Amino acid sequence: MPNAPTQLKLREIPGRAVGLCAFGLAAGLCMIIWYAADPPFLDKPPGNRELLLQFAATAERARAIVNGVEGGDGARLFQDGLVLDWRMFIPGYSAALAGAFGLGHLLLYREASRLWARRALILTPLLVLADGVEGVFLWRALNRLGTDPVPDLKWATYFAQVKWALAVPLVAAAILIVVTLYCRRVLDPSSVQSAREDRPRPVVAHAHRLAGGTESQSSDPDVVLPPAAPHDWEPRPEWTAPDLAQPPEAEAQDPEGDAVTRWRTRAYQPPGRQPAELGFCVSGGGIRSASIALGALQALRGQLLKATYLVSVSGGGYTTGAFQLALTDARLRGPDGSPSVRPGLAKPADVFAPGSPEEDHIRRHAKYLADAPKEKLYAAGAVLRGMAVSFGMLALVFAVAGQFLHQFYSHVPLTELRPFTAEGKTFESSLELYPDVWHPVLALFGLAGLMSIGYAFARAGSDKSRPAWLRSTVNTVTGLALAVAAYSIVLPSVIWFFASLAHNVGRWGSFDGSGTGVALLGVITAAATAAGTWFTSVHKTVKKLRPDGEQAGPRARGDASLVMQVGGSWVKALVCWLVLLLVAFFGLALMSWAAVYAGSWHAGWRWGVPIALVVLAFVIDQTTFSLHPFYRQRLAGAFAVRRAVLKDGSVGALPYDYNNEPTPLTPYAERVEGFPQVIFAASAAVSLRNRTAPGRPAVPFTFASDYCGGPDTGWVRTSTLQKTAPALIGRDLTVQSAVAVSGAAFASAMGSQTMFMERLLALSNVRLGTWVPNPLYLAELATYGPNRIMPRLPRVRRLRYQLQELVGRYSDTTPLLLCTDGGHFDNLGLVEMLRLRCRTVYVIDASGDTPPLATTLAQAMTLAYEDLGVTITFDEEEQNLLDLVPGSAEPLPPEAPMASLNARFSATCVVRGTIEYPEPVTFSSGTPADTKGTIIYVKASLTPDMPYELLSYALREKAFPRQATFDQWFDHAQFDAYRALGHHLGTKAAKVR
């Protein structure tokens, strides 16, 4: 593999075409400026009288507009203005738009973006045509002012509505393109900085071209492209294979060929991760899972120290991250180079042993989110700060939208704003739209329908499908109809509704010029949002379940039911949607108020509000003001510890200095000798159905010391990623952040665990995920960059990224990916472990399954087959999965007082199964390849042979061990009980062979 690859050229861009488009843009802008400042030869009507004439519609109004011009022949002056439009203004803006869209077609990076520029370029002649035809009808109407100009005035109005429906989005798109291209031209381009000093350029490899992952650490690529990932930035020959006369004979005769193909396509790992004999994975479940995982790993320490990989998800990552940080040799060093803490005090054989300083520290900090009143105030402050930023930005967006509508309707008289003010005396309770406003809307919808139906009749006897140009044309006409309806009907109706509401409730102030009522509504909405977010995030619902899993009735006796805590309920869903409706109501009210009163604002407010929105949208890092930094810091305070010699000479647990020692993945996550490599399993939000597993709008994404990424996004060497990422984003490439991201259960994108609250979490900033650089984008940057037409790697996660979370649209090729809880893809980490190819896999499952069955295991087994072609089976004669069902154990005497516990006891907490890989795997050198493996599945459940203290706790706590994952406020009794349960589970699992 070459260490100094040459930079590839992105694509050929004809210089003459760029020059022609730039000339057209510049010439068009000059003509527009000349037209606006001092047009030659002819005069034009003053002010916006020509705009008023476009929407006159009646003869009386048209005559009043024309005759209102002082001096001379008014009709002739308006006709001169139309001539000026045809000579200068229309050619000017058409040249400017064509130049901007032409530059977009040539210079924008993504094919999708260039496609939109081409579509806008095609729509520009429609805008010019609508404007020209409107001018023809106005000319005819001016010639007939003394007789009957109404028919011509109406047709002019219809074409004016179409013109403005095209003009607003096209002008906005042109400005966006020009600003984007200008910024990319003047700003320094991004580049991937290889961690290898001897590489002038980073090395990019394809996953399917790696020779079984045999590359040495010194020659590993910086970026690994995922397999089967055709994207619009790649030339088609790069990912389209040539036609084969026939498939390979071996695969054609293989009855399991589909599974093998799926395995070879999906079971990729970055270089250096070889198959292994033994691996561990610990599930998600918050502090509940962390406590159980700690006890289980303590009991299974002998097997753990022989393992090669330790994959953790969510709450399991709390514990595995704590193990890693307690063992790592990496140390913060002082100015003299000496380490801050003496290394080597903790060993893999005794770290986090029962009674160890590390365990005692976690026990004392199990309420990691907040314990003391000061910490609770700090937590409340972090939540309120994030909500204030998010709500403030949202308010600015709606206020600026209202300002735009005020300017628009002040110049384009489709609705009168003056009667809507509190001082207006002519307010009408009924909605009166502009005359004949429905005609162009219905005509456009009818045209789209006629085109579609007419072509269907014409091609009734043909076997050809509807051509792409027809579909595009019908969609364009339909979109144009919707745009006309939006600003001609919908928006005026919204403004009228809120004005009417304000007047009909007695003018209580919501629409007065001071905005007192809108401000009060904003305060109420903010308070309701805070209360609703707190309720939906924290409130626990207790459910009683019958042994068959159905919810027990309200009169069911507790002794005959299973009790569990859950995070969701219909009450929470109702509260969530009511809050969202209230926020939407406030936003529309604010927009309507601004649309009515923006003209009376002080100049400082008129200019300050849009400037504040633009500046803050580009300056504020949305992740910084979310709960992710707070969550990361609180987790670090509880789980980031290591042994140290204290002042009195004793050995104790010393927390990491969070502010001064950020624990970057390289070197803090590097494998410790005698301990498995820790891999934090997270997920990346992707909304493309062809990239995600069925029912899971997320793909796997892992953080480790060697590589970060996944089979759908590609991988990037961690040291290269840390060197490339901007400083602010680099804060999220640490062990502490990996733990927090892997456990980011509350997020705006929750993959397979999609819930009703996602939009509310994004809106209120109570979200735990973070945006990190996309390996696939870094592969493009390493291959074609630095290039001035490529998008930059953002230094801050701007407002755009929070808006993406609000609408729930995530691409797999953007510069940043939203990473959240690994449980949003696979809450066990089992699929990632199978991708690592281990012969024996221990699975510690402390997830919040709903009884009676282990649904998380069933989902992981299905996903393993769908994604990798790996099958997992359990021998019913030896290891019956139904023995995990609560109530399957022999009753523990005496039956009467123990009835409630007997209904919760499982016959076993450990089962052993078989893993069938699609093709032979050499798990270790010197052993023959085999397709068989073993899974030892450990389920957090109650069994009759538990220690007495656990039986006592279970009898007192009816929901144990199914307390909700939402409950992250464990006291020391809860921590001890769940840790002891984990130790009991691990002891049972250690006896399984």
Side-chain angles (χ1 to χ4, degrees), residues 229-240:
H231 292 292
D232 58 16
W233 54 272
E234 286 186 309
R236 186 173 296 272
E238 288 291 322
W239 55 268
T240 301

Side-chain angles (χ1 to χ4, degrees), residues 333-418:
R333 297 187 178 273
D336 59 352
S338 60
S340 58
V341 179
R342 185 196 306 172
L345 293 178
K347 301 293 185 182
D350 64 0
V351 68
F352 277 99
S356 64
E358 299 92 358
E359 183 197 70
D360 182 66
H361 177 87
I362 293 181
R363 178 183 293 107
R364 295 174 184 273
H365 295 81
K367 287 186 178 181
Y368 67 92
L369 288 178
D371 190 4
K374 180 180 178 181
E375 294 175 347
K376 293 179 179 178
L377 288 175
Y378 177 65
V383 173
L384 292 177
R385 182 194 65 170
M387 293 186 64
V389 170
S390 179
F391 207 74
M393 294 294 292
L394 183 68
L396 285 176
V397 170
F398 280 108
V400 171
Q403 284 184 272
F404 170 77
L405 291 179
H406 176 84
Q407 293 296 325
F408 183 80
Y409 289 124
S410 296
H411 293 85
V412 181
L414 281 169
T415 187
E416 291 289 339
L417 298 177
R418 174 64 183 171

Side-chain angles (χ1 to χ4, degrees), residues 525-547:
T525 304
T529 304
T533 303
W534 175 86
F535 179 78
T536 55
S537 301
V538 176
H539 181 71
K540 296 173 290 187
T541 302
V542 177
K543 292 176 63 177
K544 291 184 178 181
L545 304 176
R546 295 199 299 265

Side-chain angles (χ1 to χ4, degrees), residues 288-297 844 846 940 978-979 981-983 985:
R288 180 191 67 237
S289 175
S291 306
I292 292 175
L294 175 59
L297 295 180
I844 302 171
Y978 279 94
R979 190 213 61 82
L981 174 63
H983 196 279
L985 301 174

Side-chain angles (χ1 to χ4, degrees), residues 282-298 301 304 310-327 351-353 358-359 362 368 635 638-641 675 678-680 735 738-740 742-743 844 846 975 978-979:
V282 289
S283 77
I287 188 65
R288 180 191 67 237
S289 175
S291 306
I292 292 175
L294 175 59
L297 295 180
Q298 287 174 342
R301 189 180 299 269
L304 177 65
L310 174 56
V311 175
S312 64
V313 181
S314 190
Y318 301 177
T319 298
T320 59
F323 270 82
Q324 178 67 34
L325 290 178
L327 290 172
V351 68
F352 277 99
E358 299 92 358
E359 183 197 70
I362 293 181
Y368 67 92
L635 281 175
F639 294 93
V641 296
F675 195 78
V678 175
I679 298 174
F680 300 97
V735 174
V739 171
S742 176
I844 302 171
F975 173 81
Y978 279 94
R979 190 213 61 82

Side-chain angles (χ1 to χ4, degrees), residues 97-166:
L97 291 178
F101 298 139
L103 290 174
H105 163 65
L106 293 171
L107 299 178
L108 287 177
Y109 183 54
R110 302 285 179 194
E111 174 61 29
S113 301
R114 298 197 297 273
L115 175 62
W116 282 107
R118 289 195 295 271
R119 290 176 176 173
L121 184 60
I122 295 173
L123 288 176
T124 300
L126 294 180
L127 170 62
V128 174
L129 178 63
D131 199 357
V133 173
E134 169 220 290
V136 171
F137 280 110
L138 285 179
W139 185 283
R140 288 165 55 90
L142 290 170
N143 287 332
R144 299 178 181 179
L145 275 180
T147 56
D148 184 18
V150 173
D152 292 318
L153 289 174
K154 286 188 174 181
W155 279 104
T157 300
Y158 298 157
F159 280 97
Q161 287 181 259
V162 175
K163 177 187 73 173
W164 285 105
L166 287 167

